[in-house]
Amino acid sequence: WDETHFGKMGSYYINRTFFFDVHPPLGKMLIGLAGYLSGYDGTFPFQKPGDRYEQHNYIGMRGVRLYRLGSSWLTSLCLSIQLLELSKSLPAALLTAFILIFDTGCITLSQYILLDPILMFFLMGAVLSMVKCNSCADRPFSASWWFWLSLTGVNLAGAMGVKFVGLFVVLLVGLNTIYDLWDLLGNLSLSLVMFGKHLLARVLCLIVLPLALYTAMFAVHFAVLNRSGPGDGFFSSAFQSQLIGNNLHNVSIPE
């Protein structure tokens, strides 16, 4: 059933038809983009589970698209690097990667048009970036430290932009940041000015950057979906007047 639902959402993006859904737009935009790049024309109706795709090119949305990269192999790589950083044990990292690669849950998820593998990619990316940033603690404000801190913020925005359950990885990174800052505050050899720089860097990369990217996702969402569709009724008349094909299109709406 979920493949039918999210496949239809991808078709809406390809056809630029406005719709309303409970999830943030990033995952569905990636599904639509992958379908568009692989030659899918957005005409399959996705009416009920089990319908045959016939001549419709669904391969890009189902198997070759971007999010499949996060379903098993890249997730396994991210997790093995995390364990290697945390435990310093190569056998433990390799064993974990081997188990995850052959996990039937990941294999099953990677076969269908779902948001979960995309979410998994950003979740694992956020944790990996956080761990790598922690490993650069002895050289703060270096290029690698800034890179991993900024990448953590990017992945946080990605996780929240796919599903709201991405909030849990935001909580994890937030607790790690609070612990890190508390440890720095207790370092008597560190001046308050330097502590302020650490605090400002984290605010910029872990709060301002994710919020800016999250807002930009919705800006792209509303820019792409400029045609009237099944989601019109959830919004104001002034908004509906901006949608091509709507009965109120280009009608002057009083403030």
Side-chain angles (χ1 to χ4, degrees), residues 73-251:
W73 290 99
L74 282 186
T75 303
S76 302
L77 178 62
C78 287
L79 186 58
S80 61
I81 295 174
Q82 291 170 31
L83 284 173
L84 189 61
E85 289 286 346
L86 294 171
S87 67
K88 306 301 180 183
S89 172
L90 182 60
L94 292 177
L95 177 62
T96 303
F98 178 83
I99 292 173
L100 189 59
I101 286 174
F102 293 98
D103 183 273
T104 55
C106 288
I107 295 174
T108 302
L109 283 176
S110 69
Q111 294 179 358
Y112 299 104
I113 303 174
L114 301 173
L115 296 182
D116 302 88
I118 312 176
L119 175 66
M120 188 185 301
F121 173 79
F122 286 113
L123 291 177
M124 299 302 294
V127 177
L128 172 63
S129 302
M130 180 189 72
V131 171
K132 293 293 291 183
C133 184
N134 289 342
S135 68
C136 299
D138 57 336
R139 48 187 190 281
F141 305 109
S142 62
S144 58
W145 185 87
W146 277 112
F147 172 78
W148 289 113
L149 187 63
S150 301
L151 191 58
T152 303
V154 171
N155 282 307
L156 290 180
M160 283 293 296
V162 175
K163 276 189 173 183
F164 287 123
V165 294
L167 182 63
F168 288 104
V169 77
V170 175
L171 179 62
L172 172 65
V173 173
L175 291 174
N176 177 80
T177 303
I178 292 172
Y179 175 83
D180 190 28
L181 289 173
W182 181 256
D183 187 54
L184 290 172
L185 187 61
N187 186 354
L188 299 180
S189 63
L190 195 70
S191 67
L192 286 177
V193 174
M194 186 58 66
F195 175 79
K197 291 181 179 179
H198 276 277
L199 177 62
L200 182 60
R202 286 158 175 80
V203 169
L204 289 175
C205 294
L206 302 180
I207 297 178
V208 176
L209 177 60
L211 285 177
L213 292 176
Y214 186 76
T215 305
M217 295 172 198
F218 281 91
V220 174
H221 169 80
F222 287 114
V224 172
L225 304 182
N226 63 351
R227 300 182 182 276
S228 179
D232 296 17
F234 291 96
F235 291 83
S236 66
S237 299
F239 179 81
Q240 293 182 45
S241 68
Q242 303 174 27
L243 298 175
I244 300 173
N246 190 282
N247 293 331
L248 300 176
H249 182 54
N250 284 337
V251 173

Side-chain angles (χ1 to χ4, degrees), residues 22-75:
V22 296
H23 299 297
L26 179 60
K28 292 166 291 187
M29 284 196 294
L30 290 176
I31 290 173
L33 176 62
Y36 175 78
L37 293 177
S38 61
Y40 171 59
D41 57 6
T43 58
F44 187 72
F46 286 101
Q47 292 180 343
K48 63 182 185 296
D51 285 345
R52 294 185 179 276
Y53 290 104
E54 302 297 344
Q55 78 280 3
H56 295 279
N57 185 3
Y58 64 95
I59 299 300
M61 300 174 70
R62 206 185 218 192
V64 187
R65 57 194 174 161
L66 296 176
Y67 86 78
R68 177 161 187 169
L69 295 176
S71 61
S72 57
W73 290 99
L74 282 186
T75 303

